[in-house]
Amino acid sequence: SKRRDSKSHSMCGQCQTFKPPMSHHCRICNRCVSRMDHHCPWMNNCVGASNLKHFILFLLYTWTCAAYSLTLFGWNYFFCADEDCTFHVIVVHLVRAMTVLCVGAFLFTSSMLMNVTYGLMTGIGTIDRLKKKATNTMNQSDEEPIPLKDVFGIAGYHTWLIPIDPVFEDYDRAMGFSTPQRLVREQQLMESKRPVVSPDISSSATIELPSCVNDFLPV
């Protein structure tokens, strides 16, 4: 999109520095977050370009555990038709309390997964979407969908569901910025991998022997 690929950067009034496109300043974290979606109190951190994969996995893991727990409760307690399905009163209260928690977690994570999916498909984060809805400018959006390789990386499909940091094809483009320390490390890495060129002996200049030595050589 034009906003994402823009060469100019806006200035943050809080940090007093330039901030990448599609970034926002978080008052709780007291810093600018690249491609910020929202501040998550459950993770105690902002959700942005660098940890969007971990946030999606957090939602997916919680949704799976809640669905699995509800299935176990329904199969072994609520829909149990055997005569032996008698439980202690404490177990009954625990199952009911856990059912309420699992239903809440299931519904909440389902809505958040749909919210994240909508953001990936439209390229509009939660904060930007709320701002556009408040100003009635959603139909003027020029954002493009976020490629999955900018979220899960290019290490392979088998790493998508594993909670490890993704390897991006273009870190600067995915993050929207670059740090001098990383550029220096990459330069040192490239220099260490550069092949050492050995001198060509055949192309070296011929050594002339002194005339006294030539007198002893056979003709």
Side-chain angles (χ1 to χ4, degrees), residues 116-137:
V116 172
T117 303
Y118 180 82
L120 293 177
M121 295 175 62
T122 60
I124 306 175
T126 302
I127 296 178
D128 291 331
R129 184 165 64 253
L130 293 177
K131 288 183 177 180
K132 291 179 182 294
K133 286 184 178 180
T135 57
N136 197 20
T137 57

Side-chain angles (χ1 to χ4, degrees), residues 20-40:
M22 303 178 65
S23 62
H24 299 279
H25 183 87
C26 179
R27 297 182 179 179
I28 301 177
C29 298
N30 194 25
R31 63 178 179 178
C32 287
V33 180
S34 177
R35 211 169 70 206
M36 179 179 177
D37 187 82
H38 67 282
H39 182 88
C40 179

Side-chain angles (χ1 to χ4, degrees), residues 64-77:
T64 304
C65 291
Y68 181 70
S69 300
L70 289 175
T71 303
L72 290 181
F73 292 155
W75 183 264
N76 297 305
Y77 178 78

Side-chain angles (χ1 to χ4, degrees), residues 12 16 51 62 75 83 86 103 116 125 137 163 166 180 182 203 206 213:
C12 178
Q16 295 299 321
N51 62 350
T62 308
W75 183 264
E83 297 179 356
T86 56
V103 170
V116 172
T137 57
R182 191 184 67 81
S203 61
T206 57
V213 177

